[in-house]
Structure formats: structure tokens, C-alpha cells
Amino acid sequence: MIGIIAGTGFYNLPALQGRPSEEIKNKFGTAKITRGIWNGVEIAFLTRHGSDHSVPPQRVNYRANIQALKDLDVSYLIAVNVVGGIDPMLKPGDLQLVEDFIDFTSGREHTFFDGVQPEGVKHVDVVDCYDATVRAALRESAAALQIPLHEGGIYAGFNGPRFETPAEIRFAALSGATVVGMTGCPEVSLAREAELRYAAIAVVSNPAAGLSKEPITTEEIGRVIEAASARVVSIIEGALPLLDSKK
């Protein structure tokens, strides 16, 4: 089974229309997941914020979500992150394949190995946290569809739900970040701890704070996401059989 996690603007998949969601319970909480077949592949789909966007980024139960996908025997995991563009080469509507992250979040349950669980404390290597096989499948699918997919994404994670300040964006840029978002961390590192092979597509919805004279509005972000969603869905659809053949 292949897992798909999405957030703002991606609340359902056309291939799963009419399928009921399930509540998957584990020791960390409950995750709502919709299962079905897409392009001949069994998938498990999860939307971080809920179908009505009622869960803010700092309250997403990342541990429950990842544990639920682990318990369903998901092997590969594809995430979609809506982001602000820090790299001036990235424009609204552009897509970037993420390769690394910087976690500026705080106060989140960011590990399974917190000393409370029976597994005890473990120190997990997060080099190559974004799996090369999953990234290659997304890259190959985008190339076959002639959809531009930028490489070299460095994701900066901030708490939200407020947008970042211009000073925070300058700081993230100095750290090498190319995009900024609110939900990629600790999701990516938890996936690594759970030994799920994870990769992410960043959808640039707007220039990050301070990089444009125009104010950031949710209405404009919504328009950009709506325009980009079909390309993202097509890339994932094409990647599914490529990954399924490698299991």
C-alpha cells in the first residue's frame, strides 16, 4: 500500500470520490484515512487538516497520522506541502521536489522515542530523510507528463498558523531554505523514525513574507492551489505504478 498525505487545498482525491473515511486509532490518537484503488494501486489517503480544514498546523496529530499509516503496512509515502517560496526563482504555482528540511517549529510532539514509549530513547539518522526511490518516481512521472518539477528543495518548517515575518524569512534564507511551510515538520522525521519511505512535493502558493510588495491573502493562495492541483495529482498518479512495481 502507498500512502498519500495532503493539506491545504487537497481535501479529497477524484479517484476516491464516495469512499468513506475510517478512524484508525492508536496509542497516539486517531487518524482519519480513506482507502481505495488509484491507477491500479492500493492507497491510503490522509488530509492533515481534516476535510473541512478545521485542524490548524500546530494541532495536527502527526504521531497518530504516521503511526496509523505504519499500522496499515504502508511502504511508500508521498506528501504534498503548500509553501511560500523563499528562492526568488520559484513563482506561485511552481512545484519543487523537497530534498532536506530545517525544523524551526516548537512545542510539537516531534518524536516517537520520547522516553515514555516502551521503545525507549533512540537517536535516528535523518540524512536522506526524503527517500531517493520515491523522489525518483515523482521525478520520472513529472518528466513523462512534461510538468516542470524543480529540484533541490530545502523545506523550512514554522509553527503557524500565522505567516512568518520578513525577518524570519531572511533567517531561513540564510540557512539555505528554498520554501517555507507549517506542516512538513515533524511529519518527515516521524516518517523516518517509523521507517516509512517518504518524499514530498512542495506547491508554491505565494512569495514568502517580505519578498513581494503584495500582501499574502488566503484568497490568492486558494486560486494558485486550485490551478496547480491537477498537475500535482497527475504526477502522483503516474508515480504510483512506478513505486508499486518496486515493492
Side-chain angles (χ1 to χ4, degrees), residues 129-192:
C129 223
Y130 297 90
D131 184 77
T133 298
V134 185
R135 286 192 287 123
L138 293 169
R139 187 184 299 114
E140 183 177 340
S141 176
L145 295 165
Q146 297 185 323
I147 297 175
L149 183 60
H150 296 274
E151 300 277 350
I154 309 296
Y155 183 100
F158 283 85
N159 265 2
R162 67 166 176 83
F163 291 118
E164 300 73 35
T165 67
E168 287 171 330
I169 293 303
R170 289 194 298 272
F171 180 61
L174 288 172
S175 300
T178 62
V179 294
V180 59
M182 304 173 188
T183 56
C185 304
E187 185 178 274
V188 57
S189 53
L190 287 168
R192 182 56 171 262

Side-chain angles (χ1 to χ4, degrees), residues 19-90:
R19 300 282 304 209
S21 62
E22 310 168 57
E23 289 194 349
I24 310 294
K25 295 183 179 180
N26 55 60
K27 60 187 175 183
F28 301 108
T30 301
K32 283 192 173 183
I33 294 177
T34 305
R35 288 191 278 179
I37 304 296
W38 185 17
N39 202 11
V41 178
E42 188 178 8
I43 66 166
F45 175 67
L46 185 153
T47 178
R48 300 181 191 92
H49 302 293
S51 58
D52 57 354
H53 200 89
S54 61
V55 184
Q58 80 278 13
R59 294 197 180 276
V60 173
N61 193 333
Y62 297 96
R63 292 200 297 182
N65 290 348
I66 295 298
Q67 185 65 55
L69 293 167
K70 174 77 171 179
D71 292 343
L72 289 174
D73 291 326
V74 162
S75 51
Y76 297 109
L77 185 52
I78 299 171
V80 180
N81 292 112
V82 174
V83 300
I86 296 176
D87 184 340
M89 297 296 291
L90 295 173

Side-chain angles (χ1 to χ4, degrees), residues 5 7-8 23 56 58 64-65 75 84-85 92 127 157 170 176 213 229 242:
I5 301 179
T8 303
E23 289 194 349
Q58 80 278 13
N65 290 348
S75 51
V127 174
R170 289 194 298 272
K213 294 181 180 179
S229 62
L242 298 174

Side-chain angles (χ1 to χ4, degrees), residues 12 40 45 81 94 103 122 151 231:
N12 57 70
F45 175 67
N81 292 112
D94 282 359
D103 189 354
K122 294 184 181 180
E151 300 277 350
R231 288 179 287 133

Side-chain angles (χ1 to χ4, degrees), residues 18 89 95 109 173 212 231:
M89 297 296 291
L95 310 178
E109 297 288 356
S212 171
R231 288 179 287 133

Side-chain angles (χ1 to χ4, degrees), residues 7 10 16 42 79 107 161 175 184 196 230 234:
F10 295 87
L16 299 182
E42 188 178 8
S175 300
L196 299 181
S234 294

